[in-house]
Amino acid sequence: VSLLHTDIIPTEQDDTNITRVLQTRIYRSSRSPGAFLFDITKCKPAYTDQQCMIELKKQHPKVHACLPLNEGSIRYLEVYVTSTNDTNDIQRNGLIFPDAHIQVLPCKAINDQAKIIKLKLSHLPMFPTDEVLAGLKTSLAVFGLFMGSGYAVIDIQQNSETPDVKYQKLSHQISWMESTTDTFRATWNNMPTWCRYCHQDGHTKFTCDSSKARILCYSCHEQGHRSYECTRRNSTTTPNKKKERKT
């Protein structure tokens, strides 16, 4: 669940007969360029794939190709219509499913070269939603193309059309709108090593100098190392001599 985006836009009244609006958020390439993707997962109880395509053809008769697909538990349509034939504005009006009381708005398929990373964000500033979203777009722009969904989704693939624009390497700790003091944090699948103590890249908490500085040795009572690492432990300890037996 995202605090910035509501995939299903709530209606003003709590009425099951009111049509809800579902914004598709699927980050997949298409078989051919220029496809629109429609998330029909919420419509499945009331519509089969064939019935979904029939509704599509009714509302957008100029669609020339459609393919039902799935990504895990998500079911979606890959739809093709040329801009000259798009008389009903497919991106703005979407696809309405009357029996499910849902209007599905599409998203465009991404290109084959895109490298999509979904970030989980923490320590964001406590600003209003609009300010946070605008700040994220600015703060993440140096790492890739902000695609604005879920927690945060960016495309880190360099754009061949703008070779002068070089993206920075994505890091765990990110500057908030180029500030030198304010930061927020991002995590993602298969990310490089980072420290859970100081939140810097390149090392773990167990090898972190800042983390070690707070460790107390129970042998010499100094900070910076553990008891089993203590160099004084063996040097200050003398073996117990066995007392001679009296005869």
Side-chain angles (χ1 to χ4, degrees):
V1 178
S2 168
L3 298 178
L4 297 177
H5 303 278
T6 49
D7 286 344
I8 294 184
I9 301 171
T11 57
E12 295 181 359
Q13 301 176 8
D14 186 12
D15 189 340
T16 55
N17 292 321
I18 295 177
T19 299
R20 298 174 297 166
V21 180
L22 170 64
Q23 175 61 60
T24 299
R25 302 197 187 278
I26 298 173
Y27 302 97
R28 298 278 297 190
S29 59
S30 53
R31 182 176 296 186
S32 300
F36 291 96
L37 307 182
F38 286 84
D39 186 349
I40 58 172
T41 308
K42 300 287 185 182
C43 308
K44 291 303 291 179
Y47 291 85
T48 64
D49 289 346
Q50 185 69 26
Q51 290 171 326
C52 288
M53 290 189 285
I54 291 172
E55 285 292 342
L56 175 67
K57 198 62 178 175
K58 278 184 193 175
Q59 298 172 38
H60 302 280
K62 297 295 185 178
V63 166
H64 62 266
C66 178
L67 187 66
L69 297 166
N70 66 281
E71 181 184 16
S73 60
I74 299 174
R75 193 71 177 160
Y76 66 97
L77 299 179
E78 186 176 296
V79 178
Y80 295 86
V81 60
T82 61
S83 56
T84 54
N85 289 332
D86 188 12
T87 55
N88 195 26
D89 197 346
I90 196 169
Q91 189 164 12
R92 180 185 295 273
N93 296 324
L95 185 56
I96 297 174
F97 296 93
D99 293 345
H101 306 292
I102 289 178
Q103 178 186 10
V104 180
L105 300 179
C107 66
K108 287 189 175 181
I110 61 177
N111 62 59
D112 291 334
Q113 286 74 39
K115 294 181 180 179
I116 303 300
I117 293 182
K118 295 182 179 180
L119 305 177
K120 295 180 180 179
L121 306 177
S122 62
H123 289 72
L124 288 169
M126 300 300 177
F127 296 156
T129 300
D130 291 343
E131 290 185 34
V132 172
L133 184 55
L136 280 176
K137 288 181 179 179
T138 302
S139 303
L140 295 176
V142 296
F143 303 107
L145 175 63
F146 180 72
M147 302 181 72
S149 177
Y151 300 118
V153 183
I154 61 173
D155 180 4
I156 62 171
Q157 178 64 34
Q158 294 285 163
N159 191 338
S160 58
E161 296 179 359
T162 55
D164 295 336
V165 179
K166 300 295 184 182
Y167 294 148
Q168 295 180 18
K169 184 179 179 182
L170 188 62
S171 59
H172 168 58
Q173 196 151 253
I174 300 172
S175 171
W176 178 257
M177 298 191 67
E178 301 182 356
S179 169
T180 57
T181 55
D182 299 329
T183 61
F184 63 100
R185 296 163 189 165
T187 56
W188 63 94
N189 290 339
N190 302 317
M191 67 181 293
T193 301
W194 60 281
C195 177
R196 294 180 182 274
Y197 183 82
C198 71
H199 297 281
Q200 298 298 317
D201 297 329
H203 64 271
T204 66
K205 177 181 177 181
F206 301 104
T207 58
C208 178
D209 292 337
S210 299
S211 176
K212 285 183 175 181
R214 298 178 63 88
I215 296 173
L216 180 66
C217 173
Y218 293 108
S219 295
C220 68
H221 304 290
E222 291 189 0
Q223 290 182 317
H225 62 273
R226 297 172 178 83
S227 178
Y228 68 86
E229 301 170 322
C230 184
T231 57
R232 300 184 183 182
R233 184 177 181 180
N234 294 328
S235 61
T236 57
T237 304
T238 56
N240 293 328
K241 294 182 178 180
K242 292 183 179 179
K243 292 182 178 180
E244 295 182 359
R245 274 178 146 186
K246 291 182 178 180
T247 56

